[in-house]
Amino acid sequence: MLCFYLEHGRDSIYTTCRYAGMPPQAHVTGKTGDSPVNAPTTLIDWTTPVPRSPSCDHDKNSAADPTPADRTSDIPKLDPTVANDPGTFTATNPATAAAEDAAVRAHQQDHSGRNNRVIWLLILATFVVFLNETIMSVAIPRLVTDLHIDLSAAQWLTAAFMLTMAVIIPVTGFLLQRLPTRPVFILAMSLFSVGTLLAALAPGFEVLLTARIVQASGTAIMMPLMMMTIMTLVAPAHRGQMMGRVSIVISVAPAIGPTLGGLILTQLSWRFMFWLVFPIAIIMLLAGMKWVANVSETRSTPLDPLSVVLSALGFGGLVYGLSLIGESVGDSSGDRTPMIVSLTIGVISILIFVLRQIRLQRHDRALLDLRTFRSRNFSLSVGLMVLMMVALFGTVILLPIYIQNVLGLSALDSGLLTLPGGLAMGLLSPIVGRLFDQFGPRRLLLPGSIVVSAALWYFATLTENTSPWLILVAHLILSLGLALILTPLFTSALGSVEPRLYSHGSAIVGALDQLAGAAGTALFIAVVTARSAEIVKTGSTVLAAEAGGIRAAFTVGAIISLAAIIGSFLVRKPAEPDADSAPVRTGGNVRTGCCR
């Protein structure tokens, strides 16, 4: 039973209690037996200070709220006849008890409609920014021609986007603590909208590159913001279902992005990829300005500039260094110094960054609080997520290369072959979320990881004569397996974190996903390049050599997936917090305490 203490003066305390499991409006006083819920309670400790909680909507200035003077004579007192009965609490004045209930019900509001609106706006906005991120993947050849640049320069349009994401995401943990929900949303969508407009109007490569960096700055904020908001507003029993809806964003946007980009490029200029997204982004921004409410609690935490610098050097250096691995392997005579320097700076900076965060978090001043890893379930879930992201990003990169270079199909054909898998993953994700809420992660992760591994082992047998229809079926199976994995892992990871660390947990998941994506891309491309070069030396055709390199890369991915099968046995469903300690939104000068 939750007990709320409303302070209205030095000597007057007005108290009401709510039993666990009851709706927010159902407050009761009196004996336990009078409650519709058989919840055991203990006596209230009137002498022990209780921490302030941001959890229930009371407005002490409301007209329905009795004045402090009115309450002085109505303070509930413990009945001495039941003082030794731990199951009873009573107010000596029934009229006072009724007045308490009426006053509290008058102050409380049902925010479920507002919360749902905020969550869906965040999901739709995140879908838009993810769609933009993947729609560019098929435009590189056209940009090389239209902007009169070489392929290495054009790749910077993707590399700069990833670098910016890697630098910004770790900072979002701090940002989400300092700023309320609405300003953060407006900041993210404003950056994204400005970057999109700038890209559509870009006269040359330099402006387009700048626009992509601005876009990435907004994109980097959206995913952690959405995750933290869901964890804050959605009850643990329903988080799986909501995370399933989020997985639609993660799966459908990358699936339709290349196809949509291919359709645009067959008829229109590459600029229309940005003109298509821009009005949608503006609509999302205006809708957010009107309807997104501040649903998160903020606290004043000083920014540590050194942590920001170390984070940028560490995450940025690792992502950039990993992106150079493929080039270095393919060019044996090339200069590998930039790759080595970048990776070295990244690793050293990350080590110093971690040590500094451990020191700062003792005083709640960390840029990225690493106490999230104290949860074994969080660490295991994030580890499995990284493994899956390595395999997923590697597959996303290699399949289009195989379909276009080895099978000789167009970019549009490539997008159409992978589209059904992405759509199926999106359709299945909400169902997986509901199954997670009912059965937990293990019954989903084990079959999902087996299916993903089986699909990767099949991809390891591809040849230059494989039927495109078999590719479609195998990718569809892979996507169904990923649907069984991603939603349980996201929900298990963030659900295992203390509520006050939700913003940091979301930022950590986003940052490690970026690193996993860069590592998966680098690993798969490096294996393809190295193995293809070896096969060419044996006298095979370039086509057969490239097919052999792709087989080798998928073999590596399939071996990695075996570790995920083992890890799926270890992830557990997060324990639901006690109802007494669950957050309940508040306003006014309110402190909460608990009694069972």
Side-chain angles (χ1 to χ4, degrees):
M1 184 168 68
L2 294 177
C3 299
F4 299 86
Y5 310 87
L6 282 71
E7 296 181 339
H8 289 271
R10 180 182 299 271
D11 299 315
S12 99
I13 301 178
Y14 185 58
T15 307
T16 184
C17 292
R18 178 169 67 85
Y19 283 89
M22 298 181 67
Q25 294 82 0
H27 285 253
V28 297
T29 55
K31 294 191 177 185
T32 307
D34 297 333
S35 168
V37 178
N38 248 342
T41 63
T42 59
L43 293 177
I44 300 174
D45 182 358
W46 292 85
T47 62
T48 303
V50 288
R52 178 167 183 170
S53 170
S55 27
C56 107
D57 288 314
H58 296 283
D59 180 6
K60 69 178 183 180
N61 297 319
S62 170
D65 197 4
T67 64
D70 294 333
R71 290 182 175 170
T72 305
S73 59
D74 291 335
I75 300 173
K77 296 182 175 55
L78 297 177
D79 190 338
T81 64
V82 296
N84 296 319
D85 181 359
T88 310
F89 166 67
T90 182
T92 57
N93 187 347
T96 302
E100 289 177 359
D101 286 342
V104 172
R105 282 194 293 269
H107 288 297
Q108 290 193 326
Q109 303 172 24
D110 182 6
H111 291 305
S112 59
R114 179 203 67 181
N115 293 346
N116 286 332
R117 185 166 59 244
V118 170
I119 290 173
W120 278 109
L121 276 172
L122 288 174
I123 290 177
L124 291 174
T126 306
F127 177 83
V128 173
V129 299
F130 268 54
L131 179 66
N132 168 82
E133 185 177 354
T134 57
I135 202 173
M136 279 287 294
S137 61
V138 297
I140 298 299
R142 177 72 67 86
L143 292 171
V144 169
T145 303
D146 291 359
L147 299 179
H148 307 291
I149 56 177
D150 57 26
L151 185 59
S152 61
Q155 294 293 344
W156 267 103
L157 294 172
T158 300
F161 195 96
M162 291 180 61
L163 278 171
T164 305
M165 293 272 288
V167 170
I168 298 294
I169 286 178
V171 183
T172 59
F174 169 83
L175 186 68
L176 294 175
Q177 279 191 328
R178 288 294 299 267
L179 298 178
T181 311
R182 187 169 180 269
V184 174
F185 178 88
I186 293 174
L187 172 64
M189 288 308 298
S190 296
L191 286 170
F192 179 78
S193 301
V194 169
T196 303
L197 178 61
L198 190 61
L201 299 173
F205 172 73
E206 292 78 9
V207 177
L208 182 58
L209 181 62
T210 303
R212 291 287 287 168
I213 292 173
V214 176
Q215 275 188 320
S217 301
T219 302
I221 299 173
M222 284 305 304
M223 189 68 174
L225 173 63
M226 178 180 66
M227 289 295 188
M228 189 205 72
T229 303
I230 288 174
M231 296 304 297
T232 302
L233 298 182
V234 179
H238 303 289
R239 284 175 183 164
Q241 184 175 354
M242 185 57 68
M243 285 295 187
R245 295 168 183 169
V246 172
S247 295
I248 297 176
V249 171
I250 299 172
S251 56
V252 174
I256 69 176
T259 305
L260 185 59
L263 288 172
I264 292 174
L265 292 176
T266 56
Q267 303 293 331
L268 302 168
S269 163
W270 57 266
R271 298 179 186 276
F272 281 89
M273 293 191 298
F274 298 106
W275 284 122
L276 173 70
V277 173
F278 178 69
I280 303 175
I282 291 296
I283 291 173
M284 290 292 100
L285 174 60
L286 295 177
M289 293 174 68
K290 182 175 181 180
W291 286 308
V292 170
N294 293 324
V295 296
S296 61
E297 296 298 328
T298 61
R299 59 190 178 98
S300 180
T301 304
L303 178 65
D304 181 49
L306 181 57
S307 293
V308 176
V309 174
L310 291 171
S311 171
L313 291 175
F315 289 99
L318 285 177
V319 169
Y320 179 60
L322 289 169
S323 70
L324 296 177
I325 288 179
E327 296 179 23
S328 300
V329 173
D331 186 7
S332 58
S333 61
D335 184 10
R336 300 186 181 183
T337 303
M339 178 196 71
I340 296 173
V341 171
S342 180
L343 289 175
T344 302
I345 292 175
V347 170
I348 294 175
S349 298
I350 286 292
L351 289 176
I352 300 174
F353 175 78
V354 168
L355 293 174
R356 185 162 182 81
Q357 301 317 296
I358 292 174
R359 186 171 68 85
L360 291 175
Q361 69 192 17
R362 297 170 186 166
H363 310 286
D364 288 331
R365 295 177 53 206
L367 181 72
L368 197 61
D369 200 315
L370 303 180
R371 284 176 289 187
T372 53
F373 288 103
R374 290 180 179 176
S375 167
R376 177 176 177 270
N377 209 48
F378 176 83
S379 301
L380 284 170
S381 300
V382 169
L384 284 181
M385 202 181 305
V386 167
L387 290 178
M388 286 294 101
M389 286 299 174
V390 167
L392 175 60
F393 275 84
T395 303
V396 167
I397 290 293
L398 280 195
L399 267 188
I401 293 175
Y402 171 78
I403 292 171
Q404 296 176 48
N405 293 358
V406 178
L407 298 185
L409 301 178
S410 67
L412 179 58
D413 292 332
S414 175
L416 290 173
L417 282 175
T418 56
L419 178 62
L423 294 178
M425 186 175 170
L427 292 174
L428 185 60
S429 293
I431 300 174
V432 172
R434 288 194 290 270
L435 292 174
F436 174 89
D437 290 333
Q438 186 174 359
F439 300 110
R442 194 172 301 174
R443 297 186 186 182
L444 300 169
L445 290 177
L446 182 58
S449 57
I450 292 174
V451 168
V452 168
S453 184
L456 290 174
W457 281 111
Y458 172 76
F459 284 140
T461 67
L462 297 177
T463 69
E464 59 270 32
N465 300 315
T466 301
S467 169
W469 293 106
L470 292 177
I471 302 298
L472 187 151
V473 172
H475 183 262
L476 183 62
I477 293 173
L478 175 71
S479 300
L480 294 177
L482 288 171
L484 293 173
I485 291 174
L486 293 182
T487 295
L489 286 181
F490 272 114
T491 312
S492 296
L494 294 178
S496 303
V497 175
E498 297 176 41
R500 66 192 178 92
L501 298 178
Y502 282 156
S503 60
H504 294 283
S506 301
I508 288 171
V509 169
L512 292 181
D513 280 351
Q514 287 296 309
L515 286 179
T521 301
L523 176 63
F524 277 49
I525 293 297
V527 172
V528 169
T529 304
R531 181 56 182 158
S532 298
E534 291 178 2
I535 296 176
V536 166
K537 292 178 181 178
T538 65
S540 299
T541 63
V542 174
L543 200 63
E546 190 163 5
I550 289 173
R551 284 196 300 273
F554 277 121
T555 300
V556 172
I559 293 172
I560 293 174
S561 69
L562 296 178
I565 295 177
I566 298 172
S568 65
F569 287 97
L570 305 176
V571 178
R572 299 179 179 179
K573 187 175 183 180
E576 295 188 10
D578 293 337
D580 296 344
S581 60
V584 185
R585 185 73 44 201
T586 65
N589 189 17
V590 179
R591 297 190 298 170
T592 65
C594 299
C595 44
R596 281 184 182 266

